[in-house]
């Protein structure tokens, strides 16, 4: 598809040019703005298995190293409270946040003590959907997102997840048992694996409809400079020509037809409907990016978005702990987003949420979206992207949803490249992305 290839090339070039790390002369985050809502992202960089497609900062789990890290993480949280920050929402990602369940619970409890937290979201892996963990998470976490990726045993083996996290059938059963513990149990899936067939994708969608989860995300597989070689060795070469077809298949199965199982919440997030195919009002807990444009990140390798800057914490675990214990903000660098790129980010984020508010854009930037982003608007219109295009709003056609998937996929890949710049500053073997069982070199 020519439009997809054009978008991939353009957005890749744009992110390579603009997402570049620079020193932070002031050495600290700016103070919070009064009245502005923020979300807190908490990064836990430890895993029992290191997946070949993941470019986030992560290390093999070691108990003492994790214990020291969580202590520093809670200290960084206190430093934000002392600076005047407050958070309504907390998202704990990784890595695998539940890799040390007691440390995670202590960290969540501290966040609730320090801030006016209304909801906590956390990621986990299928092997932690057991009563020992679920009992501790119940009440502490409102939305739990479990990384399943696929129920197909062949794909799970290819990703080195089968032995550690269980078969597709075992994972399916655990999801049904875990769902009652949370307001929202999300199952995180990936589509467009090189060896994934239409039949495998359809089977995954059918299992999602039956497994009892409240919500699912089906994000496209994307790669960055550092992950490309290892991904191709383990999974095979990416085929973007089938990505469009796969996206429309899953979109139609989950949210299409007269009696859908789910409703679209974002481009690739779907909320389950009740037995009358109506929205379940208590399932409004969602991805933090949907409700909060400004996010403060803590932990080694986290990224903070404030105003026109992205701030990146050091990826070095030892340096991270030393800086925080000394009372210093553990920043490695920042990138300044030009005004046009901020416009593009706003455009992308709102389209990701399926509705673009033209008036809000003009309030933020002082110009209409047509004047601010003339090339982007012309491209989307020429490709039939908008179902609604009036003075108030933009909404997306099926073709427009896929084009925006491409935009968002490449933006996320660009963030991975930013992480790679940070990883390049690590010492020795830590610069290499690790995969498989997490054995350190």
């Amino acid at each position: 598809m020519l439009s997809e290839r054009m978008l991939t090339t353009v957005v890749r070039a744009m992110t390579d040019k603009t997402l570049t790390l620079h020193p932070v002369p002031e050495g600290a985050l700016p103070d919070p703005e009064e009245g502005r809502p923020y979300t807190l992202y908490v990064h836990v960089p430890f895993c029992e298995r290191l997946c070949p497609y993941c470019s986030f900062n992560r290390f093999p789990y070691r108990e003492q190293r994790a214990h020291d890290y969580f202590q520093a993480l809670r200290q960084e949280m206190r430093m934000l409270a002392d600076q005047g920050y407050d958070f309504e929402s907390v998202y704990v990602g990784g890595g695998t946040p539940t890799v040390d369940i007691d440390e995670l619970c202590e960290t969540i409890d501290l966040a609730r003590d320090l801030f006016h937290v209304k909801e906590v979201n956390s990621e986990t892996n299928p092997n932690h959907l057991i009563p020992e963990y679920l009992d501790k998470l119940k009440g502490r976490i409102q939305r739990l997102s479990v990384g399943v990726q696929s129920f197909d045993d062949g794909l799970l083996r290819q990703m080195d997840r089968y032995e550690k996290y269980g078969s597709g059938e075992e994972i399916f059963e655990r999801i049904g048992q875990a769902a009652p513990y949370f307001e929202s149990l999300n199952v995180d899936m990936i589509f467009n694996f090189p060896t994934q067939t239409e039949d495998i994708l359809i089977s995954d969608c059918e299992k999602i409809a039956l497994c009892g989860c409240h919500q699912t995300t089906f994000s496209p597989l994307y790669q960055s400079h550092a992950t490309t070689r290892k991904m191709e060795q383990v999974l095979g070469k990416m085929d973007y020509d089938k990505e469009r077809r796969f996206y429309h298949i899953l979109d139609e199965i989950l949210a299409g037809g007269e009696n859908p199982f789910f409703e679209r919440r974002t481009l690739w997030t779907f909320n389950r409907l009740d037995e009358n195919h109506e929205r379940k009002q208590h399932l409004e807990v969602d991805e933090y990016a949907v409700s909060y444009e400004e996010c403060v990140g803590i932990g080694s390798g986290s990224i903070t978005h404030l105003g026109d800057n992205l701030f990146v914490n050091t990826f070095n675990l030892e340096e991270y702990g030393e800086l925080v214990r000394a009372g210093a903000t553990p920043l490695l660098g920042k990138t300044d987003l030009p005004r046009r790129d901020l416009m593009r980010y706003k455009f992308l984020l709102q389209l990701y949420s399926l509705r673009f508010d033209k008036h809000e854009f003009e309030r933020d930037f002082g110009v209409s979206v047509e004047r601010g982003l003339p090339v982007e608007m012309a491209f989307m219109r020429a490709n039939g992207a908008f179902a609604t295009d009036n003075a108030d709003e933009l909404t997306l056609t099926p073709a427009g949803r896929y084009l925006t998937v491409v935009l968002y996929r490449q933006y996320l890949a660009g963030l991975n490249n930013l992480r790679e710049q940070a990883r390049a500053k690590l010492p020795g073997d830590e610069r290499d992305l690790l995969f498989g069982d997490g054995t350190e070199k």
Side-chain angles (χ1 to χ4, degrees):
M1 183 179 176
L2 181 60
S3 56
E4 182 278 327
R5 293 172 187 169
M6 288 174 57
L7 276 182
T8 297
T9 301
V10 169
V11 179
R12 181 186 295 127
M14 182 189 75
T15 55
D16 284 350
K17 179 180 178 181
T18 61
L19 295 182
T20 304
L21 279 176
H22 305 288
V24 186
E26 58 274 22
L29 295 177
D31 291 335
E33 296 181 25
E34 187 175 353
R36 178 180 288 277
Y38 298 95
T39 189
L40 177 65
Y41 174 77
V42 180
H43 191 67
V44 179
F46 302 112
C47 288
E48 297 155 306
R49 277 288 194 276
L50 301 179
C51 298
Y53 47 79
C54 179
S55 191
F56 284 81
N57 191 35
R58 72 276 194 284
F59 295 89
Y61 171 71
R62 301 290 182 267
E63 184 177 357
Q64 185 58 50
R65 179 162 61 179
H67 173 72
D68 295 342
Y69 178 84
F70 271 101
Q71 285 190 321
L73 193 64
R74 291 190 288 270
Q75 179 58 31
E76 190 182 7
M77 193 182 293
R78 295 185 187 96
M79 289 162 58
L80 284 178
D82 291 341
Q83 194 175 350
Y85 277 97
D86 196 8
F87 304 99
E88 299 176 351
S89 176
V90 175
Y91 190 100
V92 191
T96 307
T98 52
V99 71
D100 192 317
I101 190 66
D102 292 328
E103 291 284 0
L104 174 64
C105 289
E106 186 175 345
T107 303
I108 292 172
D109 291 346
L110 178 63
R112 291 190 180 278
D113 289 341
L114 293 175
F115 311 116
H116 294 88
V117 176
K118 296 179 180 178
E119 63 185 39
V120 176
N121 306 259
S122 180
E123 299 170 357
T124 191
N125 274 320
N127 59 320
H128 293 165
L129 297 182
I130 56 177
E132 178 186 353
Y133 285 65
L134 296 173
D135 288 339
K136 293 180 179 181
L137 296 177
K138 185 177 182 179
R140 284 189 168 96
I141 290 176
Q142 284 63 57
R143 178 181 182 266
L144 186 71
S145 182
V146 54
V148 171
Q149 322 315 352
S150 176
F151 291 100
D152 182 77
D153 288 345
L155 282 179
L156 293 175
R157 287 190 175 96
Q158 194 176 30
M159 290 183 279
D160 195 28
R161 295 174 65 89
Y162 181 91
E163 291 185 4
K164 188 65 181 181
Y165 301 137
S167 68
E169 183 178 354
E170 291 170 327
I171 295 169
F172 180 92
E173 293 176 356
R174 286 177 182 169
I175 291 168
Q177 295 165 1
Y181 284 81
F182 307 98
E183 291 183 31
S184 179
L185 180 69
N186 175 77
V187 174
D188 193 7
M189 305 288 284
I190 294 176
F191 72 95
N192 201 32
F193 287 106
T195 58
Q196 188 178 35
T197 64
E198 286 190 16
D199 287 343
I200 291 175
L201 177 64
I202 291 169
S203 177
D204 277 344
C205 290
E206 290 172 344
K207 287 182 171 63
I208 283 293
L210 298 172
C211 71
C213 68
H214 305 111
Q215 185 185 77
T216 185
T217 53
F218 263 90
S219 56
L221 183 66
Y222 58 91
Q223 58 191 16
S224 58
H225 300 314
T227 61
T228 298
R229 180 178 60 84
K230 187 63 180 182
M231 278 179 57
E232 290 183 355
Q233 288 176 353
V234 176
L235 303 175
K237 192 170 183 178
M238 291 288 294
D239 180 5
Y240 289 116
D241 288 338
K242 72 178 184 180
E243 181 188 64
R244 176 175 176 269
R245 183 173 76 255
F246 276 25
Y247 177 72
H248 288 310
I249 288 172
L250 72 89
D251 188 37
E252 179 62 25
I253 292 176
L254 295 177
E258 295 182 1
N259 297 308
F261 294 101
F262 296 84
E263 71 166 353
R264 297 178 192 89
R265 180 66 179 89
T266 70
L267 286 176
W268 58 60
T269 304
F270 302 85
N271 282 2
R272 184 178 295 278
L273 299 172
D274 65 19
E275 60 274 8
N276 297 315
H277 302 282
E278 296 177 352
R279 178 183 300 178
K280 292 186 176 183
Q281 294 297 328
H282 65 289
L283 297 180
E284 291 302 313
V285 182
D286 214 327
E287 300 167 283
Y288 65 93
V290 174
S291 301
Y292 299 87
E293 291 187 20
E294 300 218 341
C295 170
V296 178
I298 63 172
S300 174
S302 67
I303 296 178
T304 291
H305 180 201
L306 294 174
D308 58 356
N309 296 118
L310 297 177
F311 299 86
V312 181
N313 273 7
T314 177
F315 274 47
N316 187 312
L317 291 182
E318 183 177 347
E319 181 182 43
Y320 170 77
E322 290 174 353
L323 287 170
V324 172
R325 285 190 290 272
T329 305
L331 291 176
L332 173 66
K334 71 174 182 177
T335 182
D336 303 317
L337 296 175
R339 185 168 181 268
R340 182 171 293 276
D341 287 330
L342 285 171
M343 290 182 181
R344 287 171 175 151
Y345 176 72
K346 178 83 171 184
F347 184 69
L348 176 59
L349 188 62
Q350 287 207 5
L351 288 182
Y352 173 77
S353 301
L354 303 179
R355 179 184 179 274
F356 180 85
D357 186 328
K358 290 187 175 182
H359 300 297
E360 183 176 331
F361 184 93
E362 190 161 357
R363 286 195 301 270
D364 287 346
F365 298 106
V367 296
S368 67
V369 66
E370 286 81 5
R371 288 190 60 190
L373 298 174
V375 175
E376 289 82 352
M377 287 293 291
F379 177 87
M380 296 293 274
R381 283 170 171 160
N383 284 279
F386 300 133
T388 306
D389 184 358
N390 56 35
D392 300 317
E393 65 178 0
L394 301 169
T395 62
L396 297 168
T397 62
R401 288 198 294 274
Y402 175 66
L403 288 175
T404 312
V405 164
V406 175
L407 285 169
Y408 205 68
R409 178 244 292 162
Q410 284 307 122
Y411 173 75
L412 294 175
L415 284 181
N416 277 350
N417 291 332
L418 186 67
R419 293 184 181 98
E420 288 162 20
Q421 295 173 51
R423 183 179 292 278
K425 299 181 183 299
L426 287 171
D429 291 339
E430 289 187 10
R431 286 195 299 269
D432 298 327
L433 289 172
L434 304 173
F435 302 96
D437 64 5
T439 303
E440 293 186 88
K441 299 178 181 179

